[in-house]
Amino acid sequence: MNDSYLNFVNSPLGARVARSLGLPKPEVLRRYRADAPEFDGIVAVGAGPAPQLLDPLADVVAHIGMTSVAHASAGLWVPLANRHGLMTGRFEPADPAAGSQARVKALVFDASGIESSAQLESLYTFFHDAVRSLDTCGRIVVLGRPPEACASPRQWTAQRALEGMARSLGKEARRGIAANLIYVSQGAESGIESTLRFFLSPRSAYVSGQVVRIGAAPGGIAPNFGQNLGQNLGQDFDWTQPLAGQRAVVTGAARGIGAAIANVLASQGAHVIGIDIPSATQALDATLRQLGGTALALDIAAPETPAQIAAALDELGVDVFVHNAGITKDKTIAKMTEAAWRSVIDINLSAQERIDDALLEAGTLRDGGRIICVSSISGIAGNLGQTNYAASKAGVIGRVQGMAPYLAARRITINAVAPGFIETQMTAKMPLALREAGRRMNSMSQGGQPADVAQTIAWLAHPGSAGVTGQVVRVCGQSLIGA
Amino acid sequence: MNDSYLNFVNSPLGARVARSLGLPKPEVLRRYRADAPEFDGIVAVGAGPAPQLLDPLADVVAHIGMTSVAHASAGLWVPLANRHGLMTGRFEPADPAAGSQARVKALVFDASGIESSAQLESLYTFFHDAVRSLDTCGRIVVLGRPPEACASPRQWTAQRALEGMARSLGKEARRGIAANLIYVSQGAESGIESTLRFFLSPRSAYVSGQVVRIGAAPGGIAPNFGQNLGQNLGQDFDWTQPLAGQRAVVTGAARGIGAAIANVLASQGAHVIGIDIPSATQALDATLRQLGGTALALDIAAPETPAQIAAALDELGVDVFVHNAGITKDKTIAKMTEAAWRSVIDINLSAQERIDDALLEAGTLRDGGRIICVSSISGIAGNLGQTNYAASKAGVIGRVQGMAPYLAARRITINAVAPGFIETQMTAKMPLALREAGRRMNSMSQGGQPADVAQTIAWLAHPGSAGVTGQVVRVCGQSLIGA
C-alpha cells in the first residue's frame, strides 16, 4: 500500500539524490478531491482537416469551465468557442523563458475528419508544437471515428493509425500525463460529455494508453447504437451527483478495490448495496455503514445466491451492478489442484453469469442499467502461475463483448475494467522484486490506487455513458504488459 | 546479430555458471532446417466435451506423419485415429523416473465444443496431466471456435476465456515451448492444415501467445468466408513446395528481414521479385541472384513507382505481395522534424496503399492472391520516440483489417506480421541495456531471427491459408510488451 520509493524521490532530499543518480522520478499523480476544483486551467485544441467534433467539444469545455486556446490547426475553434460563450485565445508554443504561464492542462485533438495517411501529419504539427506546453499530470485526448465504421479502407487505415500515435504520446509524455483515444461514432456526438469529462479529469489519473468507443463496440453493436445519447440528461442534470436516486450493487465490497468502488459510487449519489462473504461481515458492515449503504453478507459462489440477490433487490430494483468479487489461487498448471482451478473460474466468472441471468430474468436490473465487470491485465496478457485466473478474466472480457449486443435492446450497457498493478493489501504481500517491477513497468512508474479503478467504474456507471458498451478499459498507468 | 549470453549459457561451462547463479537460461530454439525432418515424435491429444475438430486434426496428424497419444479427455481419438491409419496409443503422464521416453513434441487440445465456463475445467485436466511431458521447444495448440460467431453469450465467454489460458501456458511453459490458440469457424474445418502445420512445425519457433482465426476476421469477414477452404489443394499437393509456380514480390529485399523473406519464399518454390532502393542495388542483386529471382531497383516512395511495379509484373501477374520495406526515424515528437514524420508515414504506410491500389486496379495481383504487410509491436503498443513509426505501423493494422472485407470477393487475403525484437543489423546497433531488455522480455528470453518472420509470412502466403485474412500475427516470442 505504501510506495516508499515514490515518497522518497518526491521529498526534497530524495529528489536531489534521484537527480544526481539519474533514477526515475515518478510523479505524485493529481487525483480527484472533493475539496479541489475538478477542472481548471487551459485546454489547447488542435484539429486535422474537416474536424467534425469541435462543436460537441466546445459544449463540454464550456460546461466544465475550462479556458481554451486554439492551435493554428484548429482555426474553426475561435468562432465556435465564442458562440458557446467560451473564453478562448490563440495557442502560443511554450517559451522556456516564459515560465509556467504558458502551461496548459490538456491537449485535445479532433482527428475525426482525417481520411488518409498523409493527413495524419496534422497530428504531428499539433503535438510537435504543443506537447512541451503540457503541465505535469496533464491530459492528451485524441478524438477520432471508429475505424470499423469508416467508408473506405484508406480512412479506416488512417483512423486506426491514431492508436499508435496516442499510445506513443502516452509513453513519451511521462510526468504523470495520460494520453487516450476516443472514437466517436457518427450520431453519437451528443453522448461524449461523460467520457470527455472523465478523460480530462483527475479522476482518470491512472488510465492511459486506452482506446474507447462511444456508440460502437468492436464486432457487436450496430453503429447507430449510440445515437442521441445523453440528450436525456437535460440542462439541469447535476454533474456532481450523477448517480443520485440510483441503486448500485458492488460485490466484494468489504475491502480494497470493492470498498473504494462503493465509496466512489456513494459519493456520486448512489445508494450502495455491498455484498461480501459472511466471513467478512464485520468489514462489510463497517464499509457500508459509513456510506449509508446496505450490507448483504452472501457468498456469490453459493447456488442459491443469485435468487437471494434478486429477492433482496426485488422491490426497488437496481441500476448499476459491479461484479468486483474475485480470488486468486496461483500455481503453475502442473502443480495446481482441481479445486484451485474450479473455485477461481467459478467465483471470478461463472458466478457473474449466474447472477446476471437471475437479475435479467427477474427484471431486477432496470432497463438503461449498467453492468460493470472487473477483469485484469492477466486476462488480456496471460500470466505465469495464473492459468485459472487469466482464463476467468479473459472470460470476463468475452462476457462483456458477448452480452453487449443482447443487452442493447434494453439499453443496458456492460463493460469491464482491467486493473494493472494496484496498491492493495494483496500487492503489498508480493515479493519485493516482483512488486517493484509491477510498480515501475508503466508510463506512470508507479502502482495505481483502488480509487483509480473505482473512478473508472463510476464513469462507466454514469447515466451519460449510455453509448459505451462491450468495452474493456485498462486501469494500469499504461503498463508495458499486454498482448 | 550475436546473442553472446544465449551462446554462453548454452556452453558446458556457461550452463554450470548460470545454474549456480540462478540466471535465466534461454533455450536454443529448434528451427526449420531443410536437412532435418520437419515433423517427428508424438502429439498428445486432449479434448473438452463434444469436440468438433478431432476429425480434421487426425487428417493433418496423419499427413505429417506424427504419432499420437490420446489423453483420457479425448476418448474419441483412438477409433478416429485408427480410421485415419494413424499410429496411436493412450497418453501416460510423464514419470520422472521414466526418462525421456515419455516426452511428447506437441500438446493439442480441441476446445471447440466448450459451451460454458464450467466446462473449461477440461483444459485444466489435460494440461495439468500433460504439460510436464512436453519436450523442450515443444508446441501447445488450443483449438476453439471464434467467440464472435458463438450462438450464446455463455459460449462466447467460454471460448474467449481460452485466450487467457493459452497465453498463460505460453508464459509458464518456457524452455522454448510455443503456445497458440486457433479459432476455427464453422465450415472452415477443411482449411486448417496449413495453419496447424505451421504451429506444429519448427517454422513457428518464435511465434507464441498468438490468437489466429481461420474463416473469420474480427469485425470484417462473413463467418462463412472460409468455407471449404483448402479442398482445392488436392491429394497430390506438394507440401514441400507450396508456392511452386507462383510469383512473389518482396519490398526491402536487399538485406535483413526482407532478404530472409525472399529466401524462404524462394525455398518454397516461388519465383521472387525483390524490390529495394537504387542505392541498395548491389546487395539486392546479390540476394536475388542466389535465389534465381529478379531484382527491381525502385524507390517505393517515388510517385511513379506503383505504376512501374504494375508494368514490370504486368504480363505474368503476381500471387504474393509482401510489403516489408520500412524505415525508422526515431525522436520524441517535440524534437522530430516534419520531414522525419512525413517520410516514415509515407514509406511505411502510404506507399503500401499506393502500390496496392495500382496492382489491384490493373489486376496485376491475381484473384486468390496474398498481401502480407509488416507491422510491428510498436504499432500495437506505441513506443517512446516512435510516434511516426508507431502511427505508420498501427495504420498497417488498420489497412489489413479495412481491406480484408473488400478483397474477400476476389479471394485475396491480407494479413500482417508484427515482429518484436528481431536480431538484425538494426538491433545490433542499439544501446546494450535496451538490446538486452528487448531480448529477454519475452517467453523465449531471446530475440528472434529474420527467418522467424519470413516463415510466418510464408504460412500466410500458403495456398492453404485462404481462410486467414484481416489478421495480425506477432512474431515476438510472446513479448511482455503489448497493449
Side-chain angles (χ1 to χ4, degrees):
Chain A
M1 312 267 264
N2 183 14
D3 184 341
S4 37
Y5 179 76
L6 173 76
N7 295 340
F8 175 67
V9 296
N10 282 288
S11 69
L13 170 67
R16 258 190 310 178
V17 172
R19 212 167 26 240
S20 66
L21 294 176
L23 296 175
K25 185 173 169 296
E27 208 66 49
V28 176
L29 299 183
R30 186 181 167 218
R31 289 191 164 88
Y32 174 77
R33 295 170 48 147
D35 60 357
E38 185 171 355
F39 302 103
D40 57 6
I42 301 167
V43 50
V45 178
Q52 296 148 29
L53 299 169
L54 293 181
D55 198 47
L57 174 64
D59 218 28
V60 175
V61 176
H63 278 185
I64 63 180
M66 287 181 84
T67 306
S68 73
V69 289
H71 180 259
S73 61
L76 291 167
W77 181 259
V78 178
L80 229 163
N82 287 335
R83 217 187 310 139
H84 283 83
L86 189 55
M87 289 266 294
T88 197
R90 302 220 156 269
F91 172 79
E92 307 288 345
D95 173 0
S100 62
Q101 258 105 18
R103 291 275 168 198
V104 299
K105 286 285 173 68
L107 303 178
V108 180
F109 187 89
D110 182 352
S112 59
I114 290 181
E115 292 185 341
S116 73
S117 46
Q119 291 176 348
L120 293 166
E121 196 165 310
S122 56
L123 286 146
Y124 163 78
T125 310
F126 176 65
F127 289 106
H128 173 74
D129 290 349
V131 81
R132 278 200 258 226
S133 303
L134 189 56
D135 208 355
T136 296
C137 299
R139 292 289 182 273
I140 292 172
V141 175
V142 177
L143 300 168
R145 294 295 196 185
E148 62 278 11
C150 286
S152 72
R154 288 217 171 187
Q155 191 182 358
W156 180 321
T157 298
Q159 289 293 324
R160 183 61 177 72
L162 300 177
E163 271 200 35
M165 182 71 186
R167 291 208 166 101
S168 297
L169 287 171
K171 289 193 174 179
E172 60 184 59
R174 316 293 292 190
R175 295 189 292 126
I177 292 166
N180 294 284
L181 169 59
I182 306 173
Y183 285 127
V184 183
S185 288
Q186 296 273 359
E189 292 83 357
S190 64
I192 68 171
E193 184 157 355
S194 66
T195 300
L196 206 49
R197 277 179 183 251
F198 175 69
F199 283 106
L200 290 175
S201 157
R203 296 183 196 266
S204 60
Y206 202 60
V207 182
S208 188
Q210 299 308 293
V211 180
V212 168
R213 285 166 166 80
I214 304 182
I221 314 302
N224 62 348
F225 171 72
Q227 278 189 10
N228 306 318
L229 302 164
Q231 294 193 339
N232 57 332
L233 296 183
Q235 293 292 327
D236 302 331
F237 184 77
D238 181 358
W239 285 89
T240 67
Q241 292 284 294
L243 300 177
Q246 297 207 2
R247 282 155 54 90
V249 179
V250 181
T251 66
R255 297 189 193 87
I257 293 175
I261 298 167
N263 205 340
V264 169
L265 298 182
S267 74
Q268 300 200 357
H271 178 87
V272 176
I273 298 107
I275 296 178
D276 217 313
I277 44 173
S279 63
T281 299
Q282 215 175 347
L284 183 70
D285 284 346
T287 300
L288 273 300
R289 197 178 313 118
Q290 69 189 41
L291 305 176
T294 307
L296 272 184
L298 287 170
D299 178 1
I300 58 165
E304 63 277 13
T305 297
Q308 288 175 337
I309 296 176
L313 301 171
D314 201 29
E315 273 175 51
L316 294 163
V318 60
D319 304 279
V320 177
F321 200 104
V322 183
H323 292 284
N324 164 70
I327 60 168
T328 55
K329 296 204 170 182
D330 296 358
K331 276 268 188 286
T332 58
I333 187 115
K335 292 185 180 162
M336 188 181 287
T337 63
E338 194 178 70
W341 174 274
R342 197 177 287 173
S343 61
V344 167
I345 296 287
D346 190 64
I347 292 175
N348 295 3
L349 183 55
S350 312
Q352 292 190 9
E353 296 179 302
R354 292 192 297 266
I355 291 169
D356 281 359
D357 279 2
L359 296 186
L360 290 166
E361 209 176 288
T364 315
L365 184 69
R366 279 200 276 267
D367 287 5
R370 303 275 182 272
I371 301 173
I372 301 146
C373 308
V374 177
S375 179
S376 162
I377 281 207
S378 288
I380 293 168
N383 199 10
L384 193 152
Q386 295 198 315
T387 45
N388 52 358
Y389 186 74
S392 76
K393 295 300 191 177
V396 166
I397 294 172
R399 223 168 83 67
V400 155
Q401 294 172 335
M403 295 274 288
Y406 286 81
L407 297 174
R410 292 175 57 182
R411 294 179 295 104
I412 295 170
T413 69
I414 179 166
N415 294 285
V417 296
F421 186 93
I422 304 295
E423 303 279 355
T424 61
Q425 287 176 350
M426 201 173 81
T427 52
K429 284 177 199 149
M430 287 168 76
L432 177 74
L434 217 61
R435 188 170 68 237
E436 273 303 301
R439 276 178 174 156
R440 307 300 163 219
M441 277 173 63
N442 59 70
S443 295
M444 304 294 167
S445 297
Q446 61 192 286
Q449 296 293 333
D452 298 328
V453 179
Q455 292 286 1
T456 307
I457 288 173
W459 152 56
L460 294 166
H462 197 287
S465 302
V468 182
T469 193
Q471 297 183 50
V472 182
V473 181
R474 290 165 51 150
V475 184
C476 66
Q478 193 175 31
S479 171
L480 269 184
I481 297 172
Chain B
M1 311 270 265
N2 184 14
D3 184 342
S4 37
Y5 179 76
L6 174 76
N7 295 340
F8 176 67
V9 296
N10 282 288
S11 70
L13 171 66
R16 258 190 308 177
V17 173
R19 211 167 27 241
S20 66
L21 295 176
L23 297 175
K25 183 172 170 298
E27 208 65 50
V28 176
L29 299 184
R30 185 180 167 219
R31 289 192 163 87
Y32 174 77
R33 294 170 49 147
D35 61 357
E38 184 170 356
F39 302 103
D40 57 6
I42 301 168
V43 51
V45 178
Q52 297 148 28
L53 298 169
L54 291 182
D55 198 47
L57 174 64
D59 219 27
V60 176
V61 175
H63 278 185
I64 63 181
M66 286 181 83
T67 307
S68 72
V69 289
H71 179 259
S73 61
L76 291 168
W77 181 259
V78 178
L80 229 163
N82 287 336
R83 216 185 314 139
H84 283 83
L86 191 54
M87 289 268 294
T88 197
R90 303 222 155 268
F91 171 79
E92 308 289 345
D95 174 359
S100 63
Q101 257 106 16
R103 291 274 167 198
V104 300
K105 285 286 173 66
L107 304 178
V108 179
F109 187 88
D110 181 353
S112 60
I114 291 181
E115 291 185 341
S116 72
S117 46
Q119 292 176 349
L120 292 166
E121 197 165 310
S122 55
L123 285 145
Y124 163 79
T125 310
F126 175 66
F127 287 107
H128 173 74
D129 291 348
V131 80
R132 277 198 258 223
S133 304
L134 189 56
D135 207 356
T136 296
C137 298
R139 292 288 182 273
I140 292 172
V141 175
V142 177
L143 300 169
R145 294 296 195 183
E148 62 279 10
C150 286
S152 72
R154 288 218 171 186
Q155 192 182 356
W156 182 319
T157 297
Q159 289 293 324
R160 183 62 178 73
L162 300 176
E163 271 200 35
M165 181 72 185
R167 290 207 168 101
S168 297
L169 287 171
K171 289 191 175 181
E172 60 184 60
R174 316 293 291 189
R175 294 189 292 125
I177 292 167
N180 294 285
L181 169 60
I182 306 173
Y183 286 127
V184 183
S185 289
Q186 296 272 359
E189 292 82 358
S190 64
I192 68 171
E193 183 157 355
S194 66
T195 300
L196 207 49
R197 278 180 183 251
F198 176 69
F199 282 107
L200 291 175
S201 158
R203 296 182 196 266
S204 58
Y206 203 61
V207 181
S208 187
Q210 298 308 294
V211 180
V212 168
R213 286 165 165 80
I214 303 181
I221 313 301
N224 62 348
F225 171 71
Q227 278 187 10
N228 304 318
L229 302 163
Q231 294 193 339
N232 56 331
L233 295 183
Q235 293 292 329
D236 301 330
F237 185 76
D238 181 358
W239 286 88
T240 67
Q241 291 285 294
L243 301 177
Q246 298 208 1
R247 283 155 53 90
V249 180
V250 180
T251 65
R255 296 188 192 88
I257 293 175
I261 298 166
N263 205 340
V264 169
L265 297 183
S267 74
Q268 301 200 357
H271 178 89
V272 176
I273 297 108
I275 297 178
D276 217 314
I277 45 173
S279 63
T281 300
Q282 213 175 346
L284 182 70
D285 285 346
T287 300
L288 274 299
R289 197 177 314 118
Q290 70 189 42
L291 306 176
T294 308
L296 271 185
L298 288 170
D299 177 1
I300 58 163
E304 64 277 13
T305 295
Q308 289 175 336
I309 296 175
L313 301 171
D314 200 28
E315 274 174 50
L316 294 163
V318 61
D319 304 279
V320 177
F321 200 104
V322 183
H323 292 284
N324 164 71
I327 60 168
T328 55
K329 296 205 169 182
D330 297 358
K331 276 267 187 285
T332 58
I333 186 113
K335 291 184 181 162
M336 188 181 286
T337 63
E338 194 178 71
W341 174 276
R342 196 176 289 172
S343 60
V344 167
I345 296 286
D346 190 63
I347 291 174
N348 295 3
L349 183 56
S350 312
Q352 292 190 9
E353 296 179 301
R354 291 192 298 265
I355 291 169
D356 280 359
D357 279 2
L359 296 186
L360 290 166
E361 209 177 286
T364 314
L365 184 68
R366 279 200 277 264
D367 287 5
R370 304 275 181 271
I371 301 173
I372 300 146
C373 308
V374 177
S375 179
S376 162
I377 283 208
S378 288
I380 293 169
N383 199 9
L384 194 152
Q386 294 198 315
T387 45
N388 51 358
Y389 186 73
S392 76
K393 295 299 190 178
V396 166
I397 294 172
R399 222 168 83 69
V400 156
Q401 295 171 334
M403 296 274 289
Y406 286 81
L407 296 174
R410 292 175 57 182
R411 295 178 296 105
I412 295 169
T413 68
I414 179 166
N415 295 283
V417 296
F421 186 94
I422 304 295
E423 303 278 355
T424 61
Q425 287 178 349
M426 203 174 77
T427 53
K429 284 178 197 148
M430 288 168 74
L432 177 73
L434 217 62
R435 188 171 67 237
E436 273 304 301
R439 275 177 175 157
R440 306 302 162 217
M441 278 172 66
N442 59 70
S443 295
M444 304 295 166
S445 297
Q446 61 194 285
Q449 296 293 332
D452 298 328
V453 179
Q455 292 286 1
T456 308
I457 287 173
W459 152 55
L460 294 167
H462 198 287
S465 303
V468 182
T469 192
Q471 297 182 51
V472 182
V473 181
R474 289 165 51 149
V475 184
C476 66
Q478 194 175 30
S479 171
L480 271 184
I481 297 173

